[in-house]
PDB file of all heavy atoms in Angstrom:
ATOM      1  N   PHE M 645     -19.152  53.926  13.778  1.00 72.00           N
ATOM      2  CA  PHE M 645     -18.294  53.372  12.878  1.00 72.00           C
ATOM      3  C   PHE M 645     -17.974  54.251  11.687  1.00 72.00           C
ATOM      4  O   PHE M 645     -18.828  54.618  10.823  1.00 72.00           O
ATOM      5  CB  PHE M 645     -18.996  52.131  12.140  1.00 72.00           C
ATOM      6  CG  PHE M 645     -18.699  50.799  12.865  1.00 72.00           C
ATOM      7  CD1 PHE M 645     -18.344  50.749  14.144  1.00 72.00           C
ATOM      8  CD2 PHE M 645     -18.741  49.569  12.205  1.00 72.00           C
ATOM      9  CE1 PHE M 645     -17.971  49.561  14.745  1.00 72.00           C
ATOM     10  CE2 PHE M 645     -18.401  48.417  12.736  1.00 72.00           C
ATOM     11  CZ  PHE M 645     -18.122  48.381  14.028  1.00 72.00           C
ATOM     12  N   TYR M 646     -16.733  54.726  11.666  1.00 72.00           N
ATOM     13  CA  TYR M 646     -16.300  55.712  10.575  1.00 72.00           C
ATOM     14  C   TYR M 646     -14.929  55.182  10.065  1.00 72.00           C
ATOM     15  O   TYR M 646     -14.236  54.344  10.718  1.00 72.00           O
ATOM     16  CB  TYR M 646     -16.083  57.106  11.073  1.00 72.00           C
ATOM     17  CG  TYR M 646     -17.238  57.833  11.621  1.00 72.00           C
ATOM     18  CD1 TYR M 646     -17.317  58.562  12.751  1.00 72.00           C
ATOM     19  CD2 TYR M 646     -18.379  57.831  10.882  1.00 72.00           C
ATOM     20  CE1 TYR M 646     -18.515  59.199  13.211  1.00 72.00           C
ATOM     21  CE2 TYR M 646     -19.576  58.455  11.204  1.00 72.00           C
ATOM     22  CZ  TYR M 646     -19.562  59.216  12.457  1.00 72.00           C
ATOM     23  OH  TYR M 646     -20.695  59.835  12.816  1.00 72.00           O
ATOM     24  N   ASP M 647     -14.656  55.600   8.855  1.00 69.00           N
ATOM     25  CA  ASP M 647     -13.339  55.301   8.263  1.00 69.00           C
ATOM     26  C   ASP M 647     -12.273  55.930   9.175  1.00 69.00           C
ATOM     27  O   ASP M 647     -12.450  56.907   9.860  1.00 69.00           O
ATOM     28  CB  ASP M 647     -13.335  55.912   6.846  1.00 69.00           C
ATOM     29  CG  ASP M 647     -14.212  55.232   5.924  1.00 69.00           C
ATOM     30  OD1 ASP M 647     -14.925  54.304   6.309  1.00 69.00           O
ATOM     31  OD2 ASP M 647     -14.239  55.691   4.646  1.00 69.00           O
ATOM     32  N   ASN M 648     -11.181  55.254   9.138  1.00 79.00           N
ATOM     33  CA  ASN M 648     -10.008  55.740   9.887  1.00 79.00           C
ATOM     34  C   ASN M 648      -8.774  55.665   8.982  1.00 79.00           C
ATOM     35  O   ASN M 648      -8.809  55.066   7.785  1.00 79.00           O
ATOM     36  CB  ASN M 648      -9.782  55.040  11.168  1.00 79.00           C
ATOM     37  CG  ASN M 648      -9.571  53.473  10.907  1.00 79.00           C
ATOM     38  OD1 ASN M 648      -8.587  53.045  10.509  1.00 79.00           O
ATOM     39  ND2 ASN M 648     -10.570  52.679  11.357  1.00 79.00           N
ATOM     40  N   PRO M 649      -7.530  56.138   9.369  1.00 84.00           N
ATOM     41  CA  PRO M 649      -6.439  56.118   8.362  1.00 84.00           C
ATOM     42  C   PRO M 649      -5.970  54.733   8.063  1.00 84.00           C
ATOM     43  O   PRO M 649      -5.213  54.557   7.105  1.00 84.00           O
ATOM     44  CB  PRO M 649      -5.366  56.887   9.241  1.00 84.00           C
ATOM     45  CG  PRO M 649      -6.133  57.745  10.229  1.00 84.00           C
ATOM     46  CD  PRO M 649      -7.371  56.930  10.512  1.00 84.00           C
ATOM     47  N   ALA M 650      -6.442  53.675   8.788  1.00 88.00           N
ATOM     48  CA  ALA M 650      -5.911  52.301   8.465  1.00 88.00           C
ATOM     49  C   ALA M 650      -6.936  51.307   7.769  1.00 88.00           C
ATOM     50  O   ALA M 650      -6.593  50.646   6.861  1.00 88.00           O
ATOM     51  CB  ALA M 650      -5.469  51.678   9.805  1.00 88.00           C
ATOM     52  N   PHE M 651      -8.158  51.393   8.275  1.00 90.00           N
ATOM     53  CA  PHE M 651      -9.142  50.484   7.698  1.00 90.00           C
ATOM     54  C   PHE M 651     -10.533  51.121   7.740  1.00 90.00           C
ATOM     55  O   PHE M 651     -10.873  52.097   8.446  1.00 90.00           O
ATOM     56  CB  PHE M 651      -9.197  49.088   8.414  1.00 90.00           C
ATOM     57  CG  PHE M 651      -9.564  49.197   9.886  1.00 90.00           C
ATOM     58  CD1 PHE M 651     -10.833  49.020  10.314  1.00 90.00           C
ATOM     59  CD2 PHE M 651      -8.658  49.482  10.901  1.00 90.00           C
ATOM     60  CE1 PHE M 651     -11.286  49.079  11.529  1.00 90.00           C
ATOM     61  CE2 PHE M 651      -9.046  49.624  12.230  1.00 90.00           C
ATOM     62  CZ  PHE M 651     -10.324  49.359  12.501  1.00 90.00           C
ATOM     63  N   ARG M 652     -11.516  50.493   6.907  1.00 90.00           N
ATOM     64  CA  ARG M 652     -12.818  51.029   6.744  1.00 90.00           C
ATOM     65  C   ARG M 652     -13.728  49.845   7.286  1.00 90.00           C
ATOM     66  O   ARG M 652     -13.903  48.837   6.664  1.00 90.00           O
ATOM     67  CB  ARG M 652     -13.155  51.232   5.397  1.00 90.00           C
ATOM     68  CG  ARG M 652     -14.508  51.821   5.011  1.00 90.00           C
ATOM     69  CD  ARG M 652     -14.678  52.165   3.507  1.00 90.00           C
ATOM     70  NE  ARG M 652     -13.904  53.182   3.091  1.00 90.00           N
ATOM     71  CZ  ARG M 652     -12.768  52.989   2.219  1.00 90.00           C
ATOM     72  NH1 ARG M 652     -12.515  51.720   1.705  1.00 90.00           N
ATOM     73  NH2 ARG M 652     -12.062  54.002   1.893  1.00 90.00           N
ATOM     74  N   PRO M 653     -14.439  50.110   8.456  1.00 90.00           N
ATOM     75  CA  PRO M 653     -15.343  49.012   9.011  1.00 90.00           C
ATOM     76  C   PRO M 653     -16.796  49.002   8.434  1.00 90.00           C
ATOM     77  O   PRO M 653     -17.339  50.239   8.160  1.00 90.00           O
ATOM     78  CB  PRO M 653     -15.273  49.438  10.485  1.00 90.00           C
ATOM     79  CG  PRO M 653     -15.101  50.881  10.584  1.00 90.00           C
ATOM     80  CD  PRO M 653     -14.409  51.209   9.459  1.00 90.00           C
ATOM     81  N   PHE M 654     -17.369  47.983   8.437  1.00 91.00           N
ATOM     82  CA  PHE M 654     -18.747  47.884   8.010  1.00 91.00           C
ATOM     83  C   PHE M 654     -19.549  46.843   8.990  1.00 91.00           C
ATOM     84  O   PHE M 654     -18.971  45.888   9.360  1.00 91.00           O
ATOM     85  CB  PHE M 654     -19.000  47.353   6.554  1.00 91.00           C
ATOM     86  CG  PHE M 654     -18.401  48.153   5.563  1.00 91.00           C
ATOM     87  CD1 PHE M 654     -17.014  47.980   5.075  1.00 91.00           C
ATOM     88  CD2 PHE M 654     -18.957  49.298   4.993  1.00 91.00           C
ATOM     89  CE1 PHE M 654     -16.436  48.784   4.123  1.00 91.00           C
ATOM     90  CE2 PHE M 654     -18.328  50.127   4.017  1.00 91.00           C
ATOM     91  CZ  PHE M 654     -17.065  49.740   3.595  1.00 91.00           C
ATOM     92  N   TYR M 664     -19.841  41.501  10.622  1.00 95.00           N
ATOM     93  CA  TYR M 664     -18.968  42.635  10.591  1.00 95.00           C
ATOM     94  C   TYR M 664     -17.737  42.226   9.622  1.00 95.00           C
ATOM     95  O   TYR M 664     -17.401  41.187   9.531  1.00 95.00           O
ATOM     96  CB  TYR M 664     -18.266  42.686  12.039  1.00 95.00           C
ATOM     97  CG  TYR M 664     -17.054  43.607  11.970  1.00 95.00           C
ATOM     98  CD1 TYR M 664     -17.159  45.024  11.949  1.00 95.00           C
ATOM     99  CD2 TYR M 664     -15.806  43.061  12.111  1.00 95.00           C
ATOM    100  CE1 TYR M 664     -15.957  45.814  11.798  1.00 95.00           C
ATOM    101  CE2 TYR M 664     -14.591  43.858  12.239  1.00 95.00           C
ATOM    102  CZ  TYR M 664     -14.696  45.335  12.037  1.00 95.00           C
ATOM    103  OH  TYR M 664     -13.631  46.058  11.987  1.00 95.00           O
ATOM    104  N   ILE M 665     -17.291  43.201   8.896  1.00 95.00           N
ATOM    105  CA  ILE M 665     -16.407  43.093   7.838  1.00 95.00           C
ATOM    106  C   ILE M 665     -15.555  44.464   7.791  1.00 95.00           C
ATOM    107  O   ILE M 665     -16.109  45.508   8.141  1.00 95.00           O
ATOM    108  CB  ILE M 665     -16.938  42.712   6.526  1.00 95.00           C
ATOM    109  CG1 ILE M 665     -15.982  42.290   5.470  1.00 95.00           C
ATOM    110  CG2 ILE M 665     -17.780  43.994   6.017  1.00 95.00           C
ATOM    111  CD1 ILE M 665     -16.539  41.782   4.214  1.00 95.00           C
ATOM    112  N   PHE M 666     -14.341  44.359   7.439  1.00 93.00           N
ATOM    113  CA  PHE M 666     -13.489  45.635   7.193  1.00 93.00           C
ATOM    114  C   PHE M 666     -12.776  45.497   6.008  1.00 93.00           C
ATOM    115  O   PHE M 666     -12.517  44.438   5.421  1.00 93.00           O
ATOM    116  CB  PHE M 666     -12.706  45.982   8.383  1.00 93.00           C
ATOM    117  CG  PHE M 666     -11.471  45.049   8.512  1.00 93.00           C
ATOM    118  CD1 PHE M 666     -10.248  45.382   7.914  1.00 93.00           C
ATOM    119  CD2 PHE M 666     -11.531  44.012   9.404  1.00 93.00           C
ATOM    120  CE1 PHE M 666      -9.165  44.533   8.136  1.00 93.00           C
ATOM    121  CE2 PHE M 666     -10.415  43.139   9.646  1.00 93.00           C
ATOM    122  CZ  PHE M 666      -9.253  43.359   8.992  1.00 93.00           C
ATOM    123  N   GLU M 667     -12.364  46.702   5.400  1.00 93.00           N
ATOM    124  CA  GLU M 667     -11.462  46.727   4.235  1.00 93.00           C
ATOM    125  C   GLU M 667     -10.247  47.662   4.551  1.00 93.00           C
ATOM    126  O   GLU M 667     -10.430  48.540   5.328  1.00 93.00           O
ATOM    127  CB  GLU M 667     -12.123  47.490   3.075  1.00 93.00           C
ATOM    128  CG  GLU M 667     -13.463  46.736   2.481  1.00 93.00           C
ATOM    129  CD  GLU M 667     -14.124  47.493   1.511  1.00 93.00           C
ATOM    130  OE1 GLU M 667     -13.711  48.697   1.253  1.00 93.00           O
ATOM    131  OE2 GLU M 667     -15.104  46.983   0.852  1.00 93.00           O
ATOM    132  N   ASN M 668      -9.097  47.231   4.080  1.00 92.00           N
ATOM    133  CA  ASN M 668      -7.951  48.241   4.199  1.00 92.00           C
ATOM    134  C   ASN M 668      -8.225  49.456   3.425  1.00 92.00           C
ATOM    135  O   ASN M 668      -8.931  49.485   2.372  1.00 92.00           O
ATOM    136  CB  ASN M 668      -6.657  47.509   3.608  1.00 92.00           C
ATOM    137  CG  ASN M 668      -6.276  46.355   4.590  1.00 92.00           C
ATOM    138  OD1 ASN M 668      -6.312  46.397   5.689  1.00 92.00           O
ATOM    139  ND2 ASN M 668      -5.840  45.316   3.876  1.00 92.00           N
ATOM    140  N   ILE M 669      -7.843  50.565   3.947  1.00 89.00           N
ATOM    141  CA  ILE M 669      -8.148  51.910   3.416  1.00 89.00           C
ATOM    142  C   ILE M 669      -7.599  52.151   1.973  1.00 89.00           C
ATOM    143  O   ILE M 669      -8.234  52.754   1.172  1.00 89.00           O
ATOM    144  CB  ILE M 669      -7.719  52.996   4.359  1.00 89.00           C
ATOM    145  CG1 ILE M 669      -8.568  54.230   4.181  1.00 89.00           C
ATOM    146  CG2 ILE M 669      -6.237  53.301   4.196  1.00 89.00           C
ATOM    147  CD1 ILE M 669      -9.976  54.174   4.706  1.00 89.00           C
ATOM    148  N   ASP M 670      -6.436  51.413   1.777  1.00 84.00           N
ATOM    149  CA  ASP M 670      -5.808  51.444   0.401  1.00 84.00           C
ATOM    150  C   ASP M 670      -4.917  50.360   0.334  1.00 84.00           C
ATOM    151  O   ASP M 670      -4.711  49.580   1.268  1.00 84.00           O
ATOM    152  CB  ASP M 670      -5.290  52.846   0.026  1.00 84.00           C
ATOM    153  CG  ASP M 670      -4.220  53.233   1.017  1.00 84.00           C
ATOM    154  OD1 ASP M 670      -3.376  52.384   1.409  1.00 84.00           O
ATOM    155  OD2 ASP M 670      -4.158  54.355   1.384  1.00 84.00           O
ATOM    156  N   THR M 675      -3.918  45.639   7.448  1.00 94.00           N
ATOM    157  CA  THR M 675      -4.281  45.427   8.887  1.00 94.00           C
ATOM    158  C   THR M 675      -4.951  44.078   9.058  1.00 94.00           C
ATOM    159  O   THR M 675      -5.460  43.355   8.196  1.00 94.00           O
ATOM    160  CB  THR M 675      -5.393  46.463   9.214  1.00 94.00           C
ATOM    161  OG1 THR M 675      -6.578  46.268   8.422  1.00 94.00           O
ATOM    162  CG2 THR M 675      -4.825  47.890   9.039  1.00 94.00           C
TER     163      THR M 675
END
Side-chain angles (χ1 to χ4, degrees):
F645 264 31
Y646 293 135
D647 295 356
N648 58 68
F651 64 94
R652 182 179 295 112
F654 300 94
Y664 166 73
I665 192 172
F666 71 87
E667 298 175 352
N668 291 322
I669 205 70
D670 54 44
T675 64

